[in-house]
Amino acid sequence: MPRRSRSTAAESVSFIEEEPNNNSDNEDDSKEFFTQTQFTFSQQPADRSQNVDLARDSENKKLEDLNPTTRNKIVTDLSRMLLFKALGMKDPIDRTKVCAEASGEVKGVSKSALNEADKRLKDVFGFGVKRVNSKMEENLPARFKNRLYLINEVVDDDEGTHSLNLHSAHQESMTERGLLMVVLSFAFCKGTSAVRSGQMKGAGKKTRWITEHHLYSLLHRVDENIPSEPPSAEGRKKSRTSGGGRHSLGGGGADGGVSETPDIDGLLEKFVSQDYLL
């Protein structure tokens, strides 16, 4: 699924911090002069390990030798599945399942069909089909070895116009992405990358993690309408069945308040189901 707008070159966002300049020759000591220091945060493009595996020549020939109608149907169905799961359902994409479903009774052409679907999506929509980075994969559960994602590879301008148009289309989407960025920031700045032990989720894996209690406590400091503690098991069950958490989006009065606070419980579970979080 599209995670972010990505350029073939590293994108950067600059933040300016003003620092006092103590070397000023101005005689007026009551005034302070500042120099500017620029800090740049870069977004690296996908590395080669994220490219889908190329099919062997024999498999490419097998796909090419198929009836043109059958071949086009397989590639078209696979392309549609990738798009539908990424943009519509926003579900994780299991490579084996989507390739098997698209191929049907035709065997031995899954990699070749995926290569063709990748080319088609890139040419038509600017999306690239990618897998998990090999270095990250080592510290992720086994299911991620079979994951595929659509990455938006359209080159953006310096003002980020494409990203703004893409992510600012719907208020609900903006809210979700904003919350996700806050959660990831807390995990990065307040979490730990130590190897988890015992029976804890993610045990034996060196992934960046933060406890639920710590995360909810930090989110509560950002918005006092967010509960300071995670939901109980019964609370999670109610949230799943009723479709609303302890505080949900709704109303949206001019004064803000609870009506402007998103359903944190539901959105965190949604981020986990979409592979943003483990």
Side-chain angles (χ1 to χ4, degrees):
M1 62 190 68
R3 302 291 178 174
R4 55 194 174 191
S5 178
R6 187 186 296 277
S7 169
T8 52
E11 299 174 0
S12 63
V13 179
S14 299
F15 297 85
I16 304 299
E17 180 183 18
E18 295 183 332
E19 298 179 345
N21 184 351
N22 298 322
N23 298 324
S24 174
D25 295 332
N26 195 310
E27 295 179 357
D28 188 354
D29 294 334
S30 64
K31 296 181 179 179
E32 286 186 324
F33 292 84
F34 296 87
T35 57
Q36 292 184 328
T37 302
Q38 181 169 289
F39 296 90
T40 301
F41 296 85
S42 296
Q43 176 177 293
Q44 297 297 324
D47 62 39
R48 293 181 179 179
S49 69
Q50 292 182 256
N51 295 332
V52 293
D53 295 333
L54 294 177
R56 296 179 178 179
D57 292 339
S58 57
E59 184 173 330
N60 289 330
K61 186 176 185 307
K62 186 174 182 179
L63 181 68
E64 185 65 26
D65 290 342
L66 291 175
N67 178 284
T69 302
T70 302
R71 179 175 65 249
N72 184 64
K73 183 179 184 304
I74 291 174
V75 176
T76 299
D77 286 350
L78 182 54
S79 302
R80 287 175 176 172
M81 287 180 196
L82 293 170
L83 276 176
F84 183 69
K85 284 184 170 292
L87 300 180
M89 301 174 65
K90 295 184 179 180
D91 284 342
I93 302 172
D94 185 289
R95 180 181 57 205
T96 302
K97 290 181 179 179
V98 294
C99 288
E101 187 174 348
S103 302
E105 297 181 356
V106 180
K107 305 300 181 183
V109 296
S110 58
K111 284 186 179 180
S112 184
L114 183 58
N115 293 158
E116 291 299 317
D118 183 18
K119 293 177 184 177
R120 182 174 296 186
L121 292 174
K122 187 172 298 183
D123 292 341
V124 178
F125 300 101
F127 292 150
V129 181
K130 303 295 181 182
R131 53 185 298 175
V132 177
N133 180 292
S134 59
K135 292 183 179 179
M136 294 177 59
E137 191 178 273
E138 297 173 358
N139 291 303
L140 290 174
R143 66 179 183 275
F144 285 92
K145 294 182 179 180
N146 214 31
R147 284 283 201 266
L148 293 177
Y149 302 95
L150 289 194
I151 301 297
N152 183 7
E153 294 186 323
V154 174
V155 179
D156 212 341
D157 57 27
D158 293 338
E159 286 73 34
T161 304
H162 175 71
S163 296
L164 290 173
N165 290 337
L166 183 67
H167 298 296
S168 303
H170 304 287
Q171 181 65 39
E172 185 174 346
S173 176
M174 292 171 60
T175 302
E176 289 185 8
R177 290 296 178 268
L179 174 62
L180 177 60
M181 291 301 102
V182 172
V183 172
L184 293 177
S185 297
F186 281 147
F188 181 80
C189 297
K190 295 293 185 179
T192 177
S193 59
V195 177
R196 307 192 78 174
S197 59
Q199 300 299 315
M200 301 174 73
K201 187 176 181 180
K205 302 292 185 179
K206 190 177 180 181
T207 53
R208 194 134 198 119
W209 58 275
I210 185 171
T211 65
E212 277 189 316
H213 290 276
H214 193 188
L215 177 59
Y216 271 85
S217 174
L218 292 170
L219 290 172
H220 179 70
R221 297 181 193 178
V222 175
D223 182 351
E224 62 182 8
N225 296 310
I226 297 176
S228 59
E229 293 288 334
S232 62
E234 183 65 23
R236 292 180 194 278
K237 184 177 179 180
K238 288 182 178 179
S239 179
R240 293 193 190 101
T241 56
S242 65
R246 292 175 286 178
H247 293 297
S248 359
L249 284 169
D255 297 331
V258 176
S259 62
E260 293 296 317
T261 300
D263 175 7
I264 300 297
D265 303 340
L267 286 178
L268 288 178
E269 289 199 11
K270 182 177 182 179
F271 295 155
V272 171
S273 71
Q274 294 178 346
D275 289 348
Y276 286 113
L277 306 174
L278 296 179

